[in-house]
Amino acid sequence: MPHILLIEDHAAYREMLRESLEEKGHTVVEADDGEMGLIHYRAEKFDIIITDILMPRKDGVETI
């Protein structure tokens, strides 16, 4: 199953997405902004990155 990096600043949305993906058997690592997303990205290998566009500190477009 894919190893997924989920970058979303809204905690309820992030939790809902993580739970849904994990129910399907995916492994999910969460980040609440682009800065944390990049830290995880540099530390691990991911098959898929799902990111919000509008986030504090570093938005989704800048992060990608």
Side-chain angles (χ1 to χ4, degrees), residues 6-59:
L6 173 60
I7 311 170
E8 167 61 63
D9 63 322
H10 192 275
Y13 294 156
R14 191 173 62 246
E15 181 179 345
M16 178 187 65
L17 286 166
R18 178 188 47 80
E19 288 175 357
S20 178
L21 291 165
E22 287 178 343
E23 285 176 5
K24 304 283 191 239
H26 303 292
T27 303
V28 180
V29 174
E30 298 177 57
D32 61 1
D33 63 35
E35 289 290 333
M36 272 314 292
L38 286 174
I39 289 169
H40 287 297
Y41 175 77
R42 291 177 180 131
E44 300 180 51
K45 182 181 181 324
F46 294 96
D47 300 302
I48 299 169
I49 299 172
I50 300 171
T51 185
D52 186 6
I53 297 297
L54 300 174
M55 295 184 292
R57 298 193 332 164
K58 188 178 291 281
D59 68 29

